[in-house]
Amino acid sequence: MNTATSSLKEKWALLKSERPHLRIRNAAQELEVSEVELLATQIPDSTIRLKTDMKEILSEVQTLGKVMGLTRNNECVHERKGVYLNPDFSSPHAGLFVNEDIDLRIFIGQWSTAFAVVEKTERMERKSLQFFGKDGEAIHKIYLTPASDEKAFDELVNKFKSDDQSPMQSVEKPVESLELQLEERMDEEIDVKGFQDDWENLQDTHNFYGLLKKYSITRTQALRLAPSEYYAKPIEKEAIVSMLETAASKQIPIMVFVGNKGNIQIHTGEVKKTMWHENWYNILDPDFNMHLDMTKVAQTWIVRKPTEDGEVTSIEVFNEMGEIIVQFFGKRKPGIPELTSWKELIASLS
């Protein structure tokens, strides 16, 4: 172990002794390094570097049984328990896990390194698989639950253990998200009428991103230039809380999308327990948790897009840089119209 790695490991050890409940993500920020650099200092004590065979590793997670998948960005955490069924990496655009519990859209080109981690606390051991981007930021983590198969976890780790167990980890300069890679142009430079006509003639919500590229327009600018306020209307961020509390009380099934540059994680179903904790608004159900830092919400919009199955209505939440934090929809599938109860809920917010 070289001097720099040894020093970083010692600094983290000191931080943990002073603040034992400090999370590694926050410790990395305080020490001005990436999370993966900090994690690598724990090799071989509590961390094992895995091979970079991401598709193969993910395709075998099913053997672990019921686990908890965690995907987050800087403002929102999405935790969903379930079994990783039906992996599909046949598309060059996005890998998939599609089932009732674990529903992911994976942009595998952003995944760079993988680790197996065993965190020991006073009460328990937490075993996990953790995946990071080239910039050292966490993309996805998979934690064992009491219902998981620990033997299968050990077998998976042994199978994919890397020959490189160095505690050093190099990282690249962070890449801006897709929302920030496109510099906002003056409204006068945009074919606003063409954009609005194309919006009104959408057949699939997935084609909306294509519109942004076609007209070289950022997402928040697109909402501002929508055909009318009916299609995109700004609302107060407190409406997020009202929506979730109403959905919980009336048991309206919703969809919650949270992502980062490498992964989008989706929950579909009813939510039951919602509550505040300091600046975080939370969903705390047995198989689904969401933690949203409300102080970092800069814009909230009601957005409507036409499709061949009828209109699709969402609440889109953005940070101050114009990046999507979280999206909420009513429960739906292709070929099935949007829930009337969700439409009525959204109408009550505006």
Side-chain angles (χ1 to χ4, degrees):
M1 185 180 299
N2 67 23
T3 304
T5 303
S6 177
S7 174
L8 182 57
K9 185 174 184 176
E10 290 168 359
K11 287 178 181 178
W12 189 23
L14 178 61
L15 255 185
K16 285 193 289 187
S17 68
E18 295 171 344
R19 295 151 66 190
H21 300 297
L22 184 67
R23 295 182 183 275
I24 184 173
R25 182 183 180 90
N26 302 112
Q29 291 171 344
E30 291 196 25
L31 295 172
E32 298 182 334
V33 296
S34 68
E35 183 177 341
V36 79
E37 288 173 278
L38 206 52
L39 182 65
T41 66
Q42 303 305 294
I43 297 173
D45 302 333
S46 60
T47 300
I48 295 173
R49 186 190 307 277
L50 302 180
K51 297 175 182 178
T52 57
D53 304 332
M54 305 299 177
K55 295 177 183 179
E56 290 77 7
I57 294 172
L58 289 169
S59 296
E60 294 203 17
V61 171
Q62 176 181 342
T63 63
L64 307 183
K66 187 175 183 178
V67 293
M68 187 271 279
L70 185 155
T71 300
R72 68 166 299 159
N73 49 49
N74 288 326
E75 301 83 16
C76 192
V77 185
H78 190 297
E79 302 169 346
R80 189 64 169 86
K81 293 177 182 174
V83 182
Y84 278 61
L85 300 173
N86 309 319
D88 182 354
F89 294 100
S90 60
S91 169
H93 304 295
L96 304 172
F97 280 91
V98 180
N99 63 80
E100 188 174 330
D101 299 321
I102 301 298
D103 194 355
L104 306 176
R105 305 294 177 269
I106 296 169
F107 310 106
I108 205 72
Q110 299 289 340
W111 296 48
S112 178
T113 53
F115 300 84
V117 182
V118 179
E119 303 167 77
K120 295 182 179 180
T121 67
E122 295 177 357
R123 294 180 300 171
M124 59 180 290
E125 271 190 353
R126 295 186 78 198
K127 294 185 175 182
S128 62
L129 301 173
Q130 303 191 12
F131 305 89
F132 297 83
K134 295 176 183 178
D135 59 0
E137 290 293 306
I139 289 177
H140 189 55
K141 298 181 181 181
I142 301 170
Y143 288 89
L144 267 60
T145 70
S148 303
D149 186 334
E150 290 203 32
K151 181 181 178 183
F153 176 86
D154 294 337
E155 291 174 350
L156 186 151
V157 172
N158 287 333
K159 179 176 180 178
F160 291 102
K161 182 177 179 179
S162 172
D163 293 335
D164 174 15
Q165 294 300 320
S166 163
M168 288 285 292
Q169 180 61 54
S170 61
V171 296
E172 297 180 6
K173 182 180 178 181
V175 176
E176 287 186 337
S177 67
L178 294 175
E179 286 88 351
L180 299 184
Q181 289 175 18
L182 188 63
E183 187 174 341
E184 186 164 304
R185 298 188 296 152
M186 298 290 289
D187 292 354
E188 294 77 16
E189 299 174 15
I190 296 166
D191 178 6
V192 176
K193 179 65 166 58
F195 168 70
Q196 292 176 340
D197 288 345
D198 281 354
W199 184 329
E200 292 181 305
N201 290 293
L202 279 171
Q203 296 294 304
D204 189 319
T205 57
H206 297 101
N207 295 337
F208 190 73
Y209 180 67
L211 283 190
L212 304 184
K213 293 182 68 176
K214 177 180 177 180
Y215 291 95
S216 297
I217 187 171
T218 67
R219 196 175 190 98
T220 50
Q221 187 177 23
L223 300 185
R224 186 165 50 76
L225 297 177
S228 70
E229 198 172 68
Y230 177 78
Y231 287 93
K233 180 179 180 180
I235 56 175
E236 297 298 319
K237 65 181 179 181
E238 288 74 20
I240 301 168
V241 176
S242 300
M243 178 274 293
L244 289 173
E245 289 180 347
T246 302
S249 66
K250 294 186 176 182
Q251 289 302 280
I252 300 171
I254 64 172
M255 303 179 76
V256 184
F257 290 65
V258 174
N260 51 49
K261 63 184 174 296
N263 192 47
I264 297 172
Q265 186 163 305
I266 306 163
H267 164 77
T268 302
E270 297 174 352
V271 297
K272 301 183 185 300
K273 183 178 181 180
T274 60
M275 64 177 290
W276 282 96
H277 179 68
E278 298 177 348
N279 52 303
W280 295 82
Y281 192 69
N282 307 278
I283 299 170
L284 300 174
D285 291 340
D287 286 340
F288 174 57
N289 284 192
M290 183 205 74
H291 314 286
L292 174 61
D293 187 347
M294 292 294 289
T295 64
K296 294 181 179 177
V297 173
Q299 297 184 48
T300 307
W301 293 77
I302 293 173
V303 182
R304 293 183 175 90
K305 304 185 187 84
T307 77
E308 59 185 9
D309 300 323
E311 204 167 67
V312 172
T313 311
S314 61
I315 292 179
E316 299 191 359
V317 183
F318 298 84
N319 64 17
E320 61 182 9
M321 294 178 290
E323 299 170 302
I324 287 184
I325 297 172
V326 56
Q327 291 175 291
F328 301 97
F329 295 81
K331 180 181 178 180
R332 62 176 295 273
K333 291 182 178 180
I336 300 175
E338 188 169 66
L339 292 171
T340 301
S341 55
W342 172 251
K343 286 180 177 289
E344 292 171 348
L345 171 53
I346 295 298
S348 72
L349 301 176
S350 56

